[in-house]
Amino acid sequence: MLKEKAVASLGQPSLLMPAWIKAALAANDRLKLYLTLLQSAAQHASTPDGPVGRWETDIAHAGLQDAPWAPEMLSGAYYDDDLLILPHMENLLEALSNDLATMARPLCDVGQASWPN
């Protein structure tokens, strides 16, 4: 991150574009995983006696080793009438927000003025 701040201080945000795009693609992969986990949580909540599934490899591959809430969200999901209740919902919402911001950064932070016509 220090390198990114140094480049930004030079006033050339377009130099950061490759790093921002790489980060956006990784965020996209995490967002897809979050949605898949959400689908799995809903399925588990519908059939609580069924298997939860093993997501450790997918979670690690997405770089979410520091997100112990993800598998807990799956195993603790349940329905209250028609409302899906998820433990650690605040963690999921924060992760979604952060990754959506990361995905938008290449478009929002550079602005139209720096793009060639």
Side-chain angles (χ1 to χ4, degrees), residues 10-94:
L10 296 173
Q12 296 293 327
S14 62
L15 295 175
L16 296 172
M17 189 59 69
W20 288 350
I21 290 173
K22 183 177 179 180
L25 291 171
N28 182 55
D29 289 342
R30 288 189 299 274
L31 286 166
K32 288 188 231 178
L33 177 61
Y34 298 143
L35 294 176
T36 302
L37 291 174
L38 190 56
Q39 288 175 323
S40 183
Q43 182 178 10
H44 176 68
S46 294
T47 55
D49 294 334
V52 175
R54 309 231 2 127
W55 292 95
E56 294 85 2
T57 303
D58 297 293
I59 290 170
H61 181 57
L64 298 173
Q65 299 88 335
D66 296 332
W69 55 268
E72 293 172 10
M73 180 183 72
L74 292 171
S75 62
Y78 65 94
Y79 278 104
D80 183 7
D81 291 323
D82 289 336
L83 180 65
L84 178 62
I85 306 296
L86 298 170
H88 304 288
M89 180 63 129
E90 65 282 353
N91 298 103
L92 175 63
L93 293 174
E94 182 179 355

